[in-house]
Amino acid sequence: MRTLGKQPNSFLFELHQGGWVRISPVSPHTFRVQYSGSGQFPESGLIRYGMIRQPGERCPYTTSMDGETVHVRTEEAELRVALADGQFSWGGGERVRTETASPPWSHPGGGFGLRLVLGGDECIYGLGDVAPDKIERRGQKVDMWVSGTNYHAPIPFMMSSRGWALLMNTTWKHTIDIAHEVRGEIRIEGPEGGLDVYLISGDTYAELLNRYTGIAGKPRLLPIWAYGLHYYCSVETGGRQVLEDALKFRQEGIPCDLIGLVGGWMASGEESSAPISWDPRRFVVSQQGQQGTLTFIDTLHRHGFKLSLSMDCNYDLSGYEEQLARSPAADEVPSEKSWFDSMRRFVSDGVDAFKFVSGKQTLGQPERQWQNGMSDNELHNLYPLMLGKQMYDGYREQTGKRPMIHAVVGYTGMQQYTATESGKYGLRSTAIVSALNSGLSGHVHTAIHIHVDAPEGIHAGLLLPWAQNNSDRHFRHPCFLEERQRNLFRTYTRLRYRLLPYLYSAAYTAMLTGMPIARAMPLLFPEDPACRDLSRQYMLGDYLLVGVFTDRVYLPEGRWTDFWTGDRYEGPSEIEYRPPEQAGGPLFVRAGAIVPMWPDMDYVGRSSPERITLHIYPSGQSETVLYEDDGESFQYEDGYAATTRIECDSDDERTVLLIWPRTGTYEGIPSKRSYELVVHTGRKPSLLELNGEQCPEQHPRSAAKKTLSGWKYDRVTGTVRIYAEEDAARGEPVSVGLSFAAPERKRTSSGPAGETSDAALPVEEGAAAATRGDAEQWLHIALDTCRPDEVNDALNAWWSSRIELSAGPGNWRVHLLDGCLLIVRHAERRGWSLGESFGIADNPLAALDAKYPEQGLELLKRLADEVLAAAKRTADTARHPIIREVLAFVQQSLHKKLSLQEIAGHTGIHPVYLSRLFKKETGLPFTNYVQNRRMERAKALLESGMKVYEAAALSGFADVSHFSRVYSRYWGRPPVSFRRK
C-alpha cells in the first residue's frame, strides 16, 4: 500500500486494486468519503459555490490499520475501509450502522457507484420532492434530476431507522435504488462524475436532520408575513384588476398578505434577456425619481399587501458564481452580473417578493456550454440553487430585509434561499406527500396549491408552513366561491393567522435544528411502527396533528383532543373521522399542548400584538418557547429577538401554569405583554389562583362591568378562561394554579346519635322554604329536585321527627319501614324499579342488618342515593354535555319561572342554538319538556298528600286556577282527585 498519510483535514490512501480513497472527518459524527480512480478529487459545484458548508476548524481524529483494514475514528464515529477493494462499514464503537454490499467504484469518464446493505426492517426516508407517492422509500428507484411535476426538487439525501444518513455530494445526474431491483440493497449509480459522499451518524431522525443541515445549510427564516396567505392573480390581470382582487379580501374579512402577478406583466415575454420592463398597457408604474405619483403598488402597500412577480429564467448564472468563487473578497465588485441585477429596479418600484416557475429550468440543454466551463449534465441540478442564492443575496443587500423567493424547483441546500411549492393544482394527496418528503430532506418551507373547490383542499392547503392560492387562468379567488366554501375559506384563513406565533416559533426551531414545520409522523413518533409510512397525516409543529384527504386517522399513544369538537380520544388507535360542518378535515391537539395565538387580523402588521392567547391542554409536564423578532430584518442574527418560556405541570387534582418574563429585545417589541389563557380542562375548577392570590369566578354581572377580571368556565368548550399581565418589574413568572379537588365542607351535628353530615346550602326560595316544617313534604321535594345535600338534611329532619314521636325503644323499625316505602313509592312514581335499576334486593331491609336507629338512617340515605343516581342516569342519556346541564338545571328549578333565554344566559350560548340543540337531543321543544316535568312533579306532590295550592306553587304556577286547568287538560282529571287524603 502506498499512502500519502494525513492531510490537515483528511486522510488519503491507495487501494490494492487501484484507485484512491480520501476520508475527511468534518465533525465527530460526520465523515466525507471520496473515491477516485486517478487520485484527482475535483471539488463539486455545491461546495465551490457555497451551497454546502465546509468546517472552519479541523475535527480531531485518529487512524490505525488492523491487518487489511484502515480505521478512522472520532469521539462518536468510526469508519473501517478494506484496503483491498475499498468496501467500508460505518458506525460507532462495536455498532455497525451501515456497510457496503460490494466494492464502490469511481472511474474517470466512467461514472461512479455505491451499494449498501439494507436490513430487513430498516426504514429509509428522504430524497426530496420526487415521486412516487409515499414517504418510506423502500422499493423505490428515483432519478436525481430536476425535471417536471414528479421531480421538482430531488435531494440525494437519505436517513435510516438504524441511525445513519447519507448525502451524495454531486450535481451530476444519478439514480438511487432502494431495494427496487435487488432486495436488501441500496444502489447509487451515476454515468458521470466521481463518488463523493457524506456519512452521518445519529440516534434519532431529528439528530440526523440537524447534522445534515449543518452541512447542507440550515433553513432560514422567511419574513413573518410570508407565513400568511399568498394569492396569485389571473394571467389576464391588469393594475386595476389587481387592486380589485386585493380589496375583495379586505371586504370579505379574509386575511391575505401577498398579491402575486403571474405571466403577462412584462413588456417582453423573454425573461432570459435584459432589460425587463413593465407592460405599460396594463401596469402604470412611475419612473425612478418621479415624485408625487401613486402607483398600484403604493395602493397595495397602503392596504397591507405585498407584491410578488412571477417569471422564468434562462440566464447564464454561472459566470457570476465562478467569479465569486475565485475572488470572494467582499470589497471586490464582480464584473459579471447576477440575475438579481436585472431585478433591482423592480425592488425600487416596491416589489417585495419573486416567484420562479419551473419552465426552462427543467429542460435539458445538452448542447449548451456554460460560462464556468461546466456541461449541462453537471450544471442542470445546480442551476436552481444558483438562481435562488443570487436572488436571496441581492435582495438582502439592496433592502436589508429577508427575501421571499418562491421557487418551483430545487436541489440540495435550497432551504437556505427559497420557499417551494409541491404538486400542481389538480394534485391533492400526492402534493402533501411531496411536501412531507421535502421536510424529511431538510427543506422546511413547502406549500401546495390550495384546492379551493373542496373543503378538504382548503383544510390541507392552509395547514402547511406557508399557503398559496393560485388563480392562474381560472377564477379561484375565494370571494367567488359559493357561500359555504367562502365561509370555510375565511374560517381556515383566520385560524391560520391566529396560529402565526405558533408557526413562526416552529420556523425558528427549524432554523436552529432543521426540524421541519410540517413533520412526517416518524419524526415525532419513531418508535411507533404504525407511523412508518403514514402519508395522509402529519404533525404541524409539536402539538397539532393534521389529517388530509382521508376519513381515517391514526392517533399515537397519549390523549388527543379534536380541535373542532373538543372530543377526547386515547391512543394508540385508528379512528374513522367525519369532520363537522365547520371543518374540512381532521385536526387534533396533542395532550400537553401549549399553542400561542394572535388575535384576528387582516394582515401581518409591523409589530407583534400586545396580547397573546395561549391555548393549553394540560397533561403531565410540558413546555414551549414563544419566539418573536421584528419579522423582516436580519437583526435576529445578531441576537435581537425575544423568547418566552411557558410551562405547564398538571395532575388529577391541580394544574400549574408558569409564563416566564420575556428575555431579549428587538425593534418594535411591545412594551407590555398580556395573556388570555384558555385552559382546556373539561371540568370546572374548585379554586383558581393568580400569582399566588385567590382569583374570583366571573359572573354575568361582574363580567359586564370588568371583562378582564376574574375567571370564567365555559361549559360549551370545557375551558377555563383568565387574563393575566406580565410584570417585568417583578422579574417573576405569571403563575396560574387551578385546583380540582373538592373543597372542604363545614360539618354540623344532626340526628339523635350525634351524627355529622355535610352542611347543605339552604334552599329558601318560594314555597320550598315554607314546606320545611313538614319533613315528609320536604323530603319529597328534595328527592324530586335531586339535590344530595338537601336530601341528606331532609332525611335527617324526617328521621329526627319520627324518633321523637316514638312511644317505645323498638318503634324506630316501624319508621324505618315507613321511610323505605316512602322512597320506594317515590321511585315507582318516576318509573324506576329498585331491583332492576338500583341493584338493591326487593326487600330493602335485607340489604342491611339494622340493629340500631343510626343504622336505619344510613339505610334510608343509601336508598335515597340510589334514587338520585337513577335521576342522574336519566339526565345523562343526553349525549351533549350542555343539554345534560340544562336537564339538571330544569329539574332543580321547576318551582321557579323558567325561560329559554334565562337558561341560555346561564350556559353562555345563544337561545336559538340552544333551542335547536335541545330538541335534537331530547326530541321535544324546550317548553313542552318543561311542562311535562312540571306535571309529573305536581302529580307526585299531590299523591304525597300535599294541598293543591302547595303543589301548584312548587311546580312553578303562581295562579292556582291556571294550574288546575293545565293539570286537568294534561292528566284528564282535576288535581284534587289525585290528592292523597
Side-chain angles (χ1 to χ4, degrees):
M1 177 186 75
R2 183 161 63 94
T3 177
L4 299 182
K6 292 185 179 181
Q7 302 295 316
N9 292 299
S10 63
F11 181 66
L12 179 69
F13 57 90
E14 187 178 14
L15 300 175
H16 294 335
Q17 68 176 21
W20 294 80
V21 179
R22 183 162 72 178
I23 302 171
S24 306
V26 298
S27 71
H29 43 71
T30 303
F31 287 12
R32 181 184 180 188
V33 184
Q34 298 167 269
Y35 287 77
S36 171
S38 63
Q40 300 297 313
F41 297 90
E43 198 61 274
S44 76
L46 292 171
I47 291 180
R48 182 169 180 78
Y49 299 141
M51 287 79 175
I52 285 183
R53 305 288 192 260
Q54 287 291 83
E57 298 181 359
R58 177 179 177 274
C59 172
Y61 69 94
T62 62
T63 63
S64 64
M65 189 161 53
D66 178 12
E68 291 295 302
T69 303
V70 173
H71 299 257
V72 184
R73 299 183 183 90
T74 62
E75 293 179 357
E76 298 183 25
E78 178 180 8
L79 182 67
R80 304 171 186 174
V81 184
L83 285 170
D85 54 13
Q87 290 207 68
F88 66 79
S89 67
W90 168 249
E94 298 300 320
R95 178 184 177 188
V96 174
R97 298 176 187 260
T98 188
E99 59 186 347
T100 52
S102 59
W105 74 90
S106 182
H107 306 303
F112 61 88
L114 175 65
R115 297 177 180 179
L116 301 175
V117 175
L118 182 65
D121 60 345
E122 194 169 3
C123 296
I124 302 294
Y125 299 99
L127 305 186
D129 180 1
V130 293
D133 184 15
K134 59 182 298 189
I135 62 171
E136 208 285 303
R137 294 295 194 173
R138 290 181 73 99
Q140 299 185 8
K141 181 178 180 180
V142 297
D143 292 328
M144 293 293 106
W145 186 252
V146 175
S147 56
T149 300
N150 292 330
Y151 291 86
H152 274 153
I155 301 175
F157 164 80
M158 67 184 80
M159 57 182 175
S160 163
S161 57
R162 293 196 173 182
W164 63 270
L166 177 149
L167 168 65
M168 295 301 300
N169 180 24
T170 182
T171 61
W172 294 93
K173 182 178 182 179
H174 58 287
T175 61
I176 298 180
D177 180 335
I178 304 174
H180 175 70
E181 293 184 355
V182 178
R183 185 175 182 181
E185 282 191 14
I186 298 174
R187 294 189 166 194
I188 305 171
E189 299 179 3
E192 298 179 86
L195 180 58
D196 188 346
V197 59
Y198 283 86
L199 296 173
I200 308 168
S201 66
D203 293 330
T204 64
Y205 297 128
E207 197 168 59
L208 291 170
L209 273 178
N210 189 16
R211 292 171 175 179
Y212 157 68
T213 52
I215 301 167
K218 296 292 184 186
R220 296 178 179 176
L221 282 175
L222 304 178
I224 192 167
W225 55 261
Y227 296 95
L229 176 65
H230 302 201
Y231 174 74
Y232 291 92
C233 300
S234 168
V235 294
E236 313 300 335
T237 298
R240 182 181 183 87
Q241 288 76 26
V242 168
L243 294 178
E244 290 176 349
D245 275 351
L247 292 179
K248 286 186 179 73
F249 282 98
R250 299 293 184 254
Q251 293 163 0
E252 285 288 338
I254 299 175
C256 183
D257 263 274
L258 180 139
I259 299 294
L261 303 182
V262 291
W265 60 270
M266 286 180 284
S268 169
E270 181 54 60
E271 296 92 337
S272 62
S273 61
I276 300 173
S277 61
W278 296 97
D279 182 345
R281 298 167 301 173
R282 297 165 63 184
F283 297 98
V284 178
V285 180
S286 61
Q287 299 296 319
Q288 290 186 354
Q290 182 175 344
Q291 301 295 322
T293 302
L294 290 178
T295 69
F296 81 99
I297 304 176
D298 300 318
T299 305
L300 284 175
H301 287 167
R302 288 207 315 272
H303 288 279
F305 290 97
K306 305 294 190 294
L307 178 67
S308 175
L309 299 182
S310 176
M311 67 191 74
D312 201 348
C313 181
N314 197 30
Y315 179 74
D316 192 338
L317 310 167
S318 65
Y320 177 81
E321 289 299 322
E322 184 64 22
Q323 188 169 348
L324 286 182
R326 291 178 178 176
S327 304
D331 58 349
E332 184 175 341
V333 180
S335 58
E336 295 290 338
K337 297 297 183 181
S338 78
W339 175 250
F340 182 78
D341 288 326
S342 61
M343 297 291 105
R344 290 183 182 276
R345 62 151 299 182
F346 298 102
V347 175
S348 297
D349 288 338
V351 174
D352 307 278
F354 295 91
K355 175 182 177 180
F356 290 92
V357 299
S358 56
K360 299 181 179 65
Q361 297 182 53
T362 61
L363 301 176
Q365 303 177 65
E367 305 302 322
R368 186 168 185 175
Q369 192 68 28
W370 298 87
Q371 289 185 42
N372 64 350
M374 288 185 180
S375 69
D376 191 63
N377 284 348
E378 185 178 6
L379 189 131
H380 179 83
N381 285 338
L382 189 60
Y383 189 92
L385 289 181
M386 293 192 295
L387 178 58
K389 178 174 178 286
Q390 291 180 19
M391 290 297 299
Y392 190 96
D393 292 344
Y395 187 91
R396 175 174 182 167
E397 178 270 327
Q398 181 175 349
T399 67
K401 298 179 181 180
R402 299 176 220 168
M404 172 60 198
I405 310 300
H406 172 182
V408 176
V409 295
Y411 194 68
T412 306
M414 63 184 180
Q415 64 271 11
Q416 302 172 74
Y417 316 115
T418 61
T420 64
E421 65 184 54
S422 61
K424 295 296 185 183
Y425 184 79
L427 299 177
R428 293 152 56 94
S429 60
T430 56
I432 291 291
V433 178
S434 295
L436 296 181
N437 283 327
S438 293
L440 287 163
S441 308
H443 181 61
V444 305
H445 292 120
T446 308
I448 67 171
H449 294 268
I450 300 176
H451 202 276
V452 299
D453 302 324
E456 57 268 28
I458 295 172
H459 171 85
L462 284 163
L463 293 176
L464 281 170
W466 64 283
Q468 63 158 345
N469 179 16
N470 192 353
S471 189
D472 197 12
R473 297 183 181 276
H474 306 278
F475 293 102
R476 297 192 182 115
H477 196 299
C479 296
F480 295 151
L481 299 173
E482 54 90 15
E483 185 176 6
R484 180 176 181 272
Q485 288 295 98
R486 187 168 67 252
N487 290 339
L488 190 68
F489 194 98
R490 182 187 299 109
T491 296
Y492 269 90
T493 313
R494 298 192 83 81
L495 171 61
R496 176 175 188 85
Y497 273 71
R498 289 172 56 215
L499 283 171
L500 280 179
Y502 175 80
L503 296 173
Y504 197 59
S505 297
Y508 170 69
T509 299
M511 180 193 71
L512 296 178
T513 68
M515 176 62 70
I517 302 169
R519 304 167 183 175
M521 298 298 287
L523 287 176
L524 266 62
F525 305 96
E527 303 301 323
D528 190 338
C531 291
R532 289 180 178 175
D533 198 25
L534 290 176
S535 57
R536 298 203 175 190
Q537 64 181 75
Y538 54 89
M539 296 296 296
L540 187 63
D542 287 326
Y543 296 122
L544 300 180
L545 188 155
V546 183
V548 290
F549 305 111
T550 182
D551 58 2
R552 300 194 68 83
V553 179
Y554 175 76
L555 302 175
E557 184 176 359
R559 189 173 70 245
W560 300 84
T561 300
D562 188 328
F563 181 86
W564 307 117
T565 67
D567 294 340
R568 297 188 178 190
Y569 299 83
E570 288 293 331
S573 62
E574 185 179 66
I575 63 171
E576 292 187 7
Y577 189 85
R578 182 177 181 181
E581 185 176 353
Q582 76 274 19
L587 180 59
F588 289 87
V589 187
R590 189 179 184 181
I594 303 172
V595 182
M597 289 188 177
W598 275 351
D600 282 336
M601 59 182 62
D602 290 330
Y603 61 93
V604 177
R606 290 186 173 272
S607 60
S608 303
E610 181 179 300
R611 179 177 298 164
I612 296 289
T613 299
L614 297 175
H615 281 265
I616 300 161
Y617 296 76
S619 178
Q621 293 183 333
S622 60
E623 69 173 78
T624 195
V625 174
L626 172 65
Y627 172 82
E628 299 172 281
D629 57 30
D630 64 24
E632 63 177 12
S633 79
F634 287 91
Q635 291 187 15
Y636 72 91
E637 295 181 345
D638 297 322
Y640 289 95
T643 57
T644 306
R645 191 169 89 253
I646 307 161
E647 302 175 358
C648 181
D649 190 354
S650 180
D651 57 32
D652 289 339
E653 295 187 352
R654 188 165 173 80
T655 294
V656 177
L657 310 173
L658 295 177
I659 308 172
W660 293 88
R662 290 171 291 172
T663 60
T665 189
Y666 58 89
E667 184 177 349
I669 186 173
S671 58
K672 297 187 298 182
R673 171 54 53 81
S674 61
Y675 299 95
E676 179 184 12
L677 307 180
V678 183
V679 190
H680 295 253
T681 60
R683 52 181 175 158
K684 184 177 181 180
S686 56
L687 176 69
L688 190 146
E689 295 175 312
L690 177 61
N691 295 327
E693 301 290 335
Q694 184 172 341
C695 187
E697 183 179 2
Q698 189 181 93
H699 297 287
R701 291 182 180 178
S702 63
K705 296 178 180 178
K706 297 182 179 180
T707 58
L708 303 184
S709 64
W711 60 274
K712 181 180 179 181
Y713 179 69
D714 188 329
R715 294 168 180 82
V716 176
T717 59
T719 58
V720 175
R721 192 177 297 261
I722 185 173
Y723 294 87
E725 292 188 359
E726 176 189 66
D727 189 346
R730 285 176 63 234
E732 297 291 330
V734 174
S735 66
V736 178
L738 296 85
S739 296
F740 298 95
E744 294 185 0
R745 307 177 68 91
K746 296 181 179 180
R747 310 289 288 185
T748 181
S749 298
S750 178
E755 299 174 9
T756 59
S757 64
D758 289 344
L761 295 175
V763 180
E764 300 290 346
E765 300 175 286
T771 63
R772 289 202 174 204
D774 186 334
E776 184 173 327
Q777 291 182 7
W778 181 14
L779 179 57
H780 276 297
I781 295 169
L783 289 169
D784 203 44
T785 56
C786 298
R787 295 181 176 181
D789 292 343
E790 192 75 5
V791 170
N792 187 77
D793 285 354
L795 266 175
N796 286 332
W798 181 85
W799 184 256
S800 297
S801 65
R802 292 305 179 97
I803 292 297
E804 290 174 1
L805 297 176
S806 297
N811 287 344
W812 64 268
R813 288 184 174 85
V814 176
H815 305 317
L816 174 59
L817 182 58
D818 286 343
C820 288
L821 293 175
L822 186 152
I823 294 173
V824 169
R825 286 172 179 169
H826 181 91
E828 288 175 345
R829 285 197 298 269
R830 301 292 294 271
W832 303 324
S833 166
L834 288 176
E836 294 176 358
S837 302
F838 309 146
I840 293 182
D842 291 337
N843 178 8
L845 293 179
L848 179 64
D849 184 13
K851 298 180 180 180
Y852 306 101
E854 294 82 1
Q855 293 175 319
L857 178 60
E858 287 300 321
L859 174 59
L860 294 178
K861 289 183 178 180
R862 181 178 169 191
L863 293 175
D865 287 343
E866 298 293 344
V867 172
L868 297 179
K872 184 178 185 303
R873 284 195 295 273
T874 300
D876 285 347
T877 56
R879 291 176 297 174
H880 200 286
I882 291 299
I883 301 306
R884 291 200 296 269
E885 181 182 349
V886 170
L887 294 179
F889 183 83
V890 168
Q891 184 64 32
Q892 296 178 11
S893 306
L894 286 172
H895 60 287
K896 299 189 299 183
K897 182 179 179 180
L898 282 171
S899 70
L900 186 65
Q901 287 73 17
E902 177 191 0
I903 295 180
H906 178 74
T907 57
I909 60 178
H910 196 278
V912 175
Y913 174 73
L914 179 61
S915 176
R916 291 199 300 264
L917 183 61
F918 189 92
K919 185 173 182 180
K920 177 182 176 183
E921 291 287 321
T922 65
L924 289 173
F926 176 77
T927 53
N928 290 23
Y929 177 84
V930 171
Q931 178 171 290
N932 291 352
R933 299 302 302 126
R934 291 192 196 278
M935 292 297 98
E936 291 171 2
R937 166 180 275 195
K939 183 173 179 286
L941 294 174
L942 290 168
E943 289 177 341
S944 71
M946 191 174 291
K947 296 179 180 179
V948 174
Y949 72 89
E950 293 175 325
L954 290 174
S955 302
F957 289 86
D959 187 337
V960 177
S961 61
H962 175 61
F963 166 72
S964 296
R965 289 195 298 271
V966 173
Y967 192 95
S968 298
R969 285 198 302 268
Y970 189 90
W971 291 110
R973 290 190 295 162
V976 68
S977 64
F978 286 81
R979 183 169 179 264
R980 178 171 63 86
K981 302 297 189 290

